[in-house]
């Protein structure tokens, strides 16, 4: 679900190469010219019922969501729950590291405190709670992924334009600029495939899972690896220095090597996928 969104557009070229799954992509309008148009499903889940002649999936991977700010963010809950309107009894739903807010020195763990700093994080936390209430009263299963930054679908690399200078907040610490948990799109696609297999085989899984490459990366290092022009500005009072996830739980399910969290490796994945996007 949510095949036309920023994250799904980034991942579709990678996922469609996996012949072990039969993917059907949900769009709100027909995707003219897309390589995925032959297996597309046109459905507006907030406005209409799931089509009677549409496939009944074994698993929904739900990328559908609303970003930005304002009352429309409440749709994140409705879009997540709509995944079960397909007749599927298993779903992987995308949440966000934004539910944690700033993480200071200690990486945020799934069982630790949540303190979203904005409306988007609060809407994702409400979505998580609604999904978990649903599965406790039904035979359905849901796995909620709290995603770190995804290279190419983020506000840094994904928004970079040739010749444009990128400006980062500068903090009064040794690190200088912002530190984030990141993951490249190729690695994320691998994680999603392995989690899908685990869901389809009914392996025990946690309700909530942080998803990022191990460790953390400085945004300035990513910009250097990408060869982009950048500089600093003084950090304002609302700027967040660190959002770092504890990925030990993920590592126990889908082990990722340290190279997946290296700035050069993350940038290489982003560029490789950007060349294949359609």
């Amino acid at each position: 679900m949510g095949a036309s969104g920023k994250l799904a557009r980034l991942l579709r070229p990678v996922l469609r190469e996996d012949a072990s799954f039969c993917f059907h992509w949900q769009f709100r309008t027909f995707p003219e010219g897309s390589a995925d148009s032959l297996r597309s499903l046109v459905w507006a889940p907030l406005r209409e019922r799931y089509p009677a002649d549409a496939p009944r999936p074994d698993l929904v991977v739900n990328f559908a969501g609303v970003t930005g700010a304002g009352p429309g963010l409440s749709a994140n809950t409705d879009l997540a729950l709509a995944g079960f309107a397909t007749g599927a009894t298993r779903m992987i739903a995308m949440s966000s590291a934004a539910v944690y807010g700033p993480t200071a020195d200690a990486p945020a763990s799934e069982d630790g405190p949540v303190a979203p700093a904005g409306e988007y994080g609060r809407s994702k936390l409400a979505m998580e709670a609604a999904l978990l209430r649903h599965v406790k009263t039904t035979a359905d299963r849901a796995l909620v992924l709290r995603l770190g930054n995804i290279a190419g679908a983020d506000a840094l690399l994904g928004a970079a334009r040739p010749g444009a200078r990128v400006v980062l907040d500068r903090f009064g610490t040794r690190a200088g600029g912002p530190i984030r948990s990141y993951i490249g799109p190729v690695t994320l696609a691998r994680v999603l495939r392995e989690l899908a297999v685990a869901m389809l085989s009914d392996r025990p899984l946690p309700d909530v899972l942080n998803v990022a490459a191990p460790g953390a990366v400085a945004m300035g290092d990513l910009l250097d690896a990408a060869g982009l022009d950048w500089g600093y500005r003084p950090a304002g009072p609302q700027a967040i220095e660190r959002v770092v996830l504890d990925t030990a739980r993920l590592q126990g399910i889908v082990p990722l090597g340290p190279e997946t969290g290296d700035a050069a490796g993350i940038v290489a994945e982003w560029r490789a996928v950007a060349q294949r996007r359609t």
Side-chain angles (χ1 to χ4, degrees):
M1 288 181 61
S4 61
K6 185 184 293 186
L7 178 54
R9 291 200 312 270
L10 187 71
L11 293 178
R12 270 162 38 209
V14 186
L15 292 173
R16 77 166 69 101
E17 295 171 358
D18 189 340
S20 60
F21 292 97
C22 178
F23 291 101
H24 292 268
W25 305 93
Q26 175 265 325
F27 299 85
R28 284 176 295 170
T29 58
F30 188 76
E32 297 287 350
S34 168
D36 298 311
S37 59
L38 293 178
R39 282 190 177 161
S40 65
L41 163 67
V42 178
W43 173 44
L46 298 186
R47 297 200 304 268
E48 58 194 25
R49 292 179 180 273
Y50 189 67
D53 59 349
R56 292 299 186 265
D58 299 300
L59 169 71
V60 168
V61 181
N62 198 337
F63 296 110
V66 180
T67 59
L73 286 170
S74 62
N76 280 322
T77 293
D78 297 330
L79 287 166
L81 290 170
F84 291 118
T86 64
T89 59
R90 305 175 184 90
M91 180 164 56
I92 298 175
M94 307 302 146
S95 186
S96 168
V99 302
Y100 293 116
T103 60
D105 295 328
S109 70
E110 295 91 341
D111 297 325
V114 289
E119 291 181 58
Y120 176 70
R122 289 190 284 273
S123 77
K124 284 296 189 180
L125 198 58
M127 177 272 288
E128 292 184 12
L131 272 183
L132 297 180
R133 284 194 302 269
H134 172 86
V135 298
K136 284 180 180 177
T137 59
T138 67
D140 297 334
R141 293 186 66 200
L143 172 60
V144 173
L145 305 185
R146 290 176 176 168
L147 300 174
N149 283 21
I150 298 107
D154 59 328
L156 185 71
L157 299 175
R161 297 292 178 266
R165 183 175 174 82
V166 181
V167 181
L168 296 180
D169 292 312
R170 186 182 189 98
F171 300 88
T173 63
R174 185 176 64 180
I179 305 292
R180 297 290 186 269
S181 282
Y182 255 85
I183 190 167
V186 177
T187 301
L188 177 56
R190 177 194 153 198
V191 168
L192 289 174
R193 283 193 294 261
E194 296 202 26
L195 292 175
V197 169
M199 289 283 283
L200 290 166
S201 59
D202 292 323
R203 281 172 45 192
L205 290 169
D207 293 328
V208 178
L209 191 61
N210 288 341
V211 173
V217 65
M219 286 188 164
D221 289 346
L222 288 170
L223 294 171
D224 284 340
L228 296 170
D229 180 35
W230 66 280
Y232 281 120
R233 68 185 175 195
Q238 303 302 316
I240 297 175
E241 182 176 8
R242 295 178 63 87
V243 181
V244 179
L245 302 179
D246 181 342
T247 59
R249 187 178 287 182
L250 174 66
Q251 287 289 89
I253 303 168
V254 186
L256 302 176
E259 72 281 356
T260 61
D262 175 75
I266 291 168
V267 167
E269 288 191 23
W270 163 56
R271 285 188 164 148
V273 171
Q275 292 172 358
R276 289 184 280 173
R277 287 178 68 177
T278 59

